[in-house]
Amino acid sequence: MTGVPASAAGGSSQASPVSQASPDPRAPQHAQPSPHAQAPTPVPLAGTAATGPRTDPETDAGPEGAGRPPRGAKLAAAAVNQASVWNIANLLTMLRLILVPGFVALMLADGGYDPAWRAFAWAAFAIAMITDLFDGHLARTYDLVTDFGKIADPIADKAIMGAALICLSSLDDLPWWVTIVILGRELGITLLRFVVIRYGVIPASRGGKLKTLVQGVAVGMYVLPLTGWLATLRWWVMAAAVVLTVITGLDYVRQAVVLRRQGIAERRAASRETPA
């Protein structure tokens, strides 16, 4: 009877000598990669993320440059952060307040008629007027408006102008009625603004800005010891300042009356629409 091979009878087949040979423990073991084995996860290098592109170390909010704020954002943020009492606009306002007593001292030094001291007084007055132009512009442009600035700025403006007018009138360089008209108008309009503030705000007009400019030029010319045709010219400039002071003052009164009437009418209309 022909013998059936062991493989066909379900027995274990004899392996070849090579496959049957036991591995030599002294021989190096080389791991053969399996086709189903997963590739090892690469270890990220220092300074790189485990997945995705490198992130910005300052923001750590995505790919490099993706988390950075747009250009100008840091400048805007800095301006907002500086909106405190010690910002540049308020510092200029404080400078004007400090210049008021210094201006008075220079104006009245040596009897008030020394040309050199009057020139120094004019320089202090000019600095105060120039800073008045810049502090408001800086506050509005860079969002530096503060409660301190809202209160101190108009006080500084009227303080330096009032000090100059009173000094000039006390030295008989300017009639007292001019000082009374200008200061009376300024104080009256300020009080009027507070009276109608519950109905709205009276905006600054172009005439009011022109009035402030002409007043500053006129008072500055009177502070300087001018003679001849310049002395005549400053008289006309002061006359224009007085006229603008009166006209703009009456215009502010008209605006206040209109604003109050509109506010009362709106309140009455709102009360009628409200159901009982």
Side-chain angles (χ1 to χ4, degrees), residues 25-50:
R26 295 172 297 177
Q29 302 295 323
H30 298 283
Q32 298 296 327
S34 172
H36 301 289
Q38 296 182 355
T41 304
V43 179
L45 298 178
T48 60

Side-chain angles (χ1 to χ4, degrees), residues 138-181:
L138 291 173
R140 291 186 298 269
T141 302
Y142 297 102
D143 195 17
L144 303 178
V145 179
T146 61
D147 292 336
F148 172 82
K150 293 178 182 178
I151 298 174
D153 183 70
I155 292 176
D157 298 342
K158 292 172 177 55
I160 189 67
M161 182 61 67
L165 291 171
I166 293 174
C167 287
L168 289 173
S169 295
S170 63
L171 295 173
D172 294 330
D173 289 341
L174 188 68
W176 274 106
W177 69 266
V178 175
T179 298
I180 293 173
V181 168

